[in-house]
Amino acid sequence: MRVIIEPDYERMSKWAANYVAARIKQANPTPEHPFKLGCPTGSSPLGLYKELIKKYEAGEISFKNVITFNMDEYVKIPEDHPESYHSFMWKNFFSHIDIQKENVHILDGNAPDLIKECDDYEKAIEEAGGIDLFMGGVGPDGHLAFNEPGSSLTSKTRIKTLTTDTIIANSRFFDNDMDLVPKQALTVGIGTVMAAREVLLVCNGHHKARALKHIVDGAISHKWTASMLQTHSHAIVVCDEAACGELTVDTFKYYLDKERGNLL
């Protein structure tokens, strides 16, 4: 696992965006051989998306030959609801770049058969040739996508019931009313993420410090599902200094020293 420590959220977001853009440009995607990008939602990746939009607007990168697969979506929430992840992605990213609508894949939480929807999503990823780079955020309890504590570390796309902690955390998007937060979601599994050729996780803020400690310095555990990234051959965690509050001094210095002189 590679750990990048940046001074603040802005620098963290820029580093992550530079990395993603570099990978897409190196792939030189075409209609026949597109780049497959996994996308998260939530507050953590907003800076990353803003930086990628800037790169597109500056003519540095195109998403015309990029296929995206989102991590998750709420169950039984209208697709045009302001807090659906469909709305989130189009508002904060897709509507600002040149991605083709048919290349966007987001789980349908209103599908008549949710189990089939999840199975079909896995098949779509497989038929696309797998995901080249899966971006992700992490919850304060170490969950990745909606793979809550206790989730299988080999899980695939499926229906998940959200924990009380996640419902409380997400209630800020629903007028702080827990009753308005959907209680289930469709989510890719930890196994789905681990199957990607690369994974890039962004982690920021003091409230993520405990999670980062377990992800980077703890044992691999289903109680901290993002800790599974320790076993991925090409996993990068990009964090700000605020998120490093519970790392030991030796661990903090080790990752800073390790990255000195390294390029993307």
Side-chain angles (χ1 to χ4, degrees), residues 28 59 81 119 123 128 232 256:
N28 193 23
H81 189 286
D119 291 342
K123 290 176 184 175
H232 198 288
L256 284 179

Side-chain angles (χ1 to χ4, degrees), residues 71-72 122 125 131 134 136-139 141-158 160 186-199 201 215 220-232:
M71 280 189 158
D72 40 33
E122 285 286 336
I125 294 174
I131 293 173
F134 223 135
V138 62
D141 59 2
H143 74 256
L144 180 58
F146 274 125
N147 294 283
E148 307 280 30
S151 295
S152 167
L153 297 181
T154 59
S155 56
K156 298 295 185 179
T157 304
R158 67 211 186 284
K160 284 294 291 181
L186 304 184
T187 182
V188 297
I190 294 298
T192 312
V193 176
M194 292 294 293
R197 294 174 184 86
E198 289 188 89
V199 181
L201 191 76
I215 293 167
I220 297 168
S221 171
H222 64 283
K223 292 183 178 179
W224 300 86
T225 55
S227 65
M228 189 63 174
L229 292 182
Q230 292 178 33
T231 68
H232 198 288

Side-chain angles (χ1 to χ4, degrees), residues 24-247:
I24 294 174
K25 287 190 283 188
Q26 287 169 9
N28 193 23
T30 64
E32 295 75 23
H33 299 285
F35 189 89
K36 287 85 66 181
L37 183 67
C39 295
T41 54
S43 56
S44 293
L46 282 174
L48 165 57
Y49 288 145
K50 288 178 181 177
E51 293 298 327
L52 287 174
I53 291 167
K54 288 179 184 178
K55 290 182 176 298
Y56 163 71
E57 292 175 341
E60 297 178 24
I61 188 173
S62 170
F63 295 88
K64 189 174 181 180
N65 294 317
V66 173
I67 294 176
T68 62
F69 288 91
N70 256 73
M71 280 189 158
D72 40 33
E73 178 58 287
Y74 289 120
V75 168
K76 302 305 179 187
I77 188 172
E79 190 173 301
D80 60 356
H81 189 286
E83 298 305 332
S84 77
Y85 290 159
H86 280 78
S87 295
F88 177 97
M89 291 305 301
W90 285 101
K91 176 184 177 182
N92 293 297
F93 191 36
F94 295 149
S95 65
H96 305 282
I97 57 176
D98 61 343
I99 195 163
Q100 300 183 72
K101 190 172 183 179
E102 61 269 25
N103 285 344
V104 171
H105 297 81
I106 305 177
L107 285 154
D108 181 2
N110 294 289
D113 185 337
L114 294 177
I115 294 176
K116 182 178 185 300
E117 172 68 11
C118 293
D119 291 342
D120 288 347
Y121 204 69
E122 285 286 336
K123 290 176 184 175
I125 294 174
E126 183 179 349
E127 289 171 359
I131 293 173
D132 295 305
L133 173 59
F134 223 135
M135 304 182 292
V138 62
D141 59 2
H143 74 256
L144 180 58
F146 274 125
N147 294 283
E148 307 280 30
S151 295
S152 167
L153 297 181
T154 59
S155 56
K156 298 295 185 179
T157 304
R158 67 211 186 284
I159 309 166
K160 284 294 291 181
T161 298
L162 308 186
T163 64
T164 300
D165 284 347
T166 296
I167 291 170
I168 292 172
N170 288 1
S171 66
R172 69 188 188 277
F173 302 118
F174 293 85
D175 297 324
N176 293 311
D177 188 342
M178 290 174 56
D179 292 333
L180 297 179
V181 183
K183 303 304 185 287
Q184 289 186 314
L186 304 184
T187 182
V188 297
I190 294 298
T192 312
V193 176
M194 292 294 293
R197 294 174 184 86
E198 289 188 89
V199 181
L200 184 146
L201 191 76
V202 291
C203 180
N204 64 286
H206 291 288
H207 63 302
K208 303 287 181 72
R210 190 174 177 217
L212 184 66
K213 175 184 177 182
H214 283 276
I215 293 167
V216 170
D217 236 0
I220 297 168
S221 171
H222 64 283
K223 292 183 178 179
W224 300 86
T225 55
S227 65
M228 189 63 174
L229 292 182
Q230 292 178 33
T231 68
H232 198 288
S233 57
H234 295 287
I236 301 177
V237 177
V238 191
C239 55
D240 62 6
E241 289 185 2
C244 297
E246 293 201 20
L247 296 182

